[in-house]
C-alpha cells in the first residue's frame, strides 16, 4: 500500500534559481500518473463568484501519493501583469507541499525585478503557513491598498497601508503571494481530501489515528465525522487519542463520539472524564451539555465523584448546569455536592450553595446549608 500520508520534500534552490523536479519526466519508472480528477475550485480573485473547473493530476512518486495543479502566478483582470505558469503540489491529506516553475521561467516583483533566492524561499514559507495573514486579506485590499513588509515602513504614505511582519510577504510581490496562497490553501485542499477519503479503508484510518502525527489524525477524524462510521476499533482509537488531544483535534474527537448510540456515548464520556486533565473534563461536560443523550442520576453521581479535591469553578458550573438540563437533581446528587460547600474557592462553594438551596433537601443537607449561610451570610 502506498504511503499516501507522507509529505514530499520541497524543491531546493540552487544558485538563485529554482531547481525543478519534474513530476512526470519522460521515461521515468518511479513517477506514475494514477489519475486525473476534474474538480471545481473558486478563488477570491475570480471576477465571477462561482467555481471554475480544473484538472487535478494525481501521481505516485516513490510510493507516495502527490497531487498537482497548474495555475497562473497571478490572476490578472486587466491583462497587464506578467503571468508565469506555476505547478502547486499537495500530499494525499491535502497539505500543501511545494511549488515549481517551468525551467527558464522566473517570478517577478514590482518594476520587473526578478525574485531572488531569498524571495523564492520566503514565498514557500508563506504558502506553507495555513494561518498566513493573506488568508484574511480581501481581493480589494490587495489590489487597492498598500500591503508592505516591516522593512518598507519608512517613507510610506497613502490612504491605507497594511503592514505585514518580516517573512509574511515578498516585498513587491503582494499580488503573486495572495494569488498563490489562496490556491495552495483554498478549495483544492478539500478536493484532495475528498478524493483520498473516498478510498481510505477503516484500517488505514485507524493507522492514521494511531500515528501520533497531528495532521494525519486531523484528516482521519474529519473523514470519520463525514462518514459517521462507528467501527468498534475506530471508536477505541478515537478514545485513546481524545485522552491527550487538545484544541481542534479534541473537538473533532468529541464530535465523532457524540454520534455514538446513547449508551456507548455516555460510557465514553465517563471514561474520558476520569482524568487529571481539567481541560479535558470541562470539554467532556460541554459535550454532554450539547448532546441529545443526557446522563441519568447514577452517571451524574459518578461524575461528581470523579471531581478532584479542588476543582475549577467553570467545571463545577458546567456540572451543575448539566444536572439541571438532564433533570436529575435528587437526594443522592445533593449528597455528593455537599462537600463542595467547603471548597477553597468561595465563588465555587457559593455557586453550589445557591444550587442546593433551590432543591428539596433532607434535614442533613439543610443543616449543611444553614452552616454555610451562618459562616458566609455577609457575602451572600
Amino acid at each position: 500500500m502506498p504511503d499516501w500520508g507522507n509529505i514530499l520534500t520541497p524543491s531546493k534552490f540552487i544558485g538563485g534559481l529554482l531547481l525543478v523536479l519534474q513530476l512526470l519526466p519522460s521515461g521515468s519508472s518511479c513517477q506514475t500518473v494514477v489519475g486525473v480528477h476534474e474538480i471545481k475550485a473558486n478563488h477570491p480573485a475570480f471576477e465571477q463568484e462561482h467555481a471554475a473547473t480544473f484538472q487535478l493530476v494525481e501521481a505516485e512518486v516513490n510510493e507516495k501519493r502527490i497531487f498537482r495543479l497548474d495555475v497562473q502566478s497571478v490572476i490578472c483582470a486587466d491583462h497587464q501583469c506578467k503571468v508565469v505558469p506555476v505547478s502547486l503540489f499537495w500530499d494525499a491529506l491535502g497539505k500543501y507541499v511545494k511549488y515549481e516553475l517551468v525551467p527558464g521561467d522566473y517570478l517577478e516583483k514590482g518594476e520587473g525585478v526578478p525574485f531572488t533566492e531569498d524571495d523564492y524561499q520566503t514565498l514557500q514559507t508563506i504558502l506553507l503557513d495555513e494561518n498566513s495573514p493573506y488568508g484574511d486579506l480581501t481581493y480589494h485590499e490587495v489590489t487597492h491598498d498598500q500591503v508592505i513588509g516591516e522593512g518598507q515602513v519608512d517613507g510610506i504614505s497613502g490612504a491605507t497601508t497594511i503592514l505585514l511582519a518580516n517573512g509574511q510577504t515578498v516585498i513587491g510581490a503582494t499580488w503573486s503571494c495572495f494569488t498563490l496562497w489562496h490556491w495552495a490553501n483554498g478549495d483544492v485542499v478539500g478536493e484532495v481530501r475528498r478524493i483520498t477519503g473516498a478510498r481510505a479503508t477503516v484500517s488505514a484510518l485507524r493507522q492514521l489515528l494511531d500515528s501520533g502525527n497531528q495532521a494525519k489524525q486531523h484528516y482521519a477524524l474529519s473523514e470519520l465525522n463525514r462518514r459517521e462510521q462507528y467501527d468498534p476499533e475506530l471508536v477505541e482509537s478515537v478514545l485513546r487519542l481524545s485522552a491527550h488531544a487538545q484544541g481542534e483535534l479534541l473537538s473533532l474527537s468529541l464530535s465523532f463520539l457524540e454520534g455514538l448510540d446513547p449508551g456507548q456515548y455516555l460510557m465514553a464520556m465517563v471514561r474520558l472524564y476520569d482524568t487529571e486533565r481539567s481541560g479535558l473534563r470541562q470539554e467532556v461536560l460541554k459535550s454532554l451539555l450539547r448532546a441529545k443523550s443526557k446522563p441519568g442520576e447514577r452517571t451524574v453521581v459518578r461524575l461528581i465523584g470523579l471531581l478532584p479535591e479542588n476543582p475549577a469553578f467553570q467545571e463545577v458550573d458546567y456540572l451543575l448546569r448539566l444536572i439541571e438540563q438532564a433533570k436529575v437533581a435528587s437526594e443522592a446528587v445533593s449528597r455528593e455536592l455537599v462537600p463542595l460547600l467547603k471548597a477553597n474557592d468561595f465563588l465555587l462553594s457559593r455557586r453550589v450553595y445557591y444550587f442546593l438551596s433551590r432543591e428539596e433537601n433532607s434535614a442533613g443537607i439543610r443543616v449543611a446549608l444553614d452552616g454555610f449561610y451562618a459562616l458566609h451570610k455577609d457575602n451572600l
Side-chain angles (χ1 to χ4, degrees), residues 1-6 63-65 91-93 196 200 204 208 219:
M1 172 182 167
D3 186 5
W4 47 266
N6 283 348
E63 297 189 345
K64 301 172 185 177
R65 286 296 168 88
D91 71 7
L93 303 185
T196 301
L208 294 180
Y219 171 81

Side-chain angles (χ1 to χ4, degrees), residues 206-270:
R206 191 169 65 248
Q207 289 176 18
L208 294 180
L209 290 171
D210 296 337
S211 69
N213 181 298
Q214 289 193 10
K216 295 179 180 180
Q217 292 168 333
H218 187 284
Y219 171 81
L221 287 168
S222 297
E223 180 62 20
L224 287 175
N225 275 285
R226 186 189 68 80
R227 291 186 184 187
E228 298 182 346
Q229 184 173 0
Y230 302 102
D231 178 274
E233 293 181 339
L234 286 174
V235 173
E236 182 61 30
S237 290
V238 172
L239 282 168
R240 287 197 302 269
L241 173 58
S242 302
H244 56 79
Q246 299 182 35
E248 192 171 0
L249 274 184
L250 179 56
S251 296
L252 286 169
S253 297
L254 292 174
S255 177
F256 171 76
L257 295 171
E258 286 166 14
L260 294 169
D261 70 56
Q264 287 181 306
Y265 166 69
L266 292 173
M267 288 175 60
M269 292 303 100
V270 172

Side-chain angles (χ1 to χ4, degrees), residues 339-357:
L340 293 175
L341 294 172
K342 298 181 180 180
N344 294 332
D345 183 346
F346 172 70
L347 294 178
L348 185 157
S349 60
R350 185 176 64 180
R351 172 74 171 90
V352 174
Y353 170 79
Y354 285 142
F355 175 86
L356 291 175
S357 296

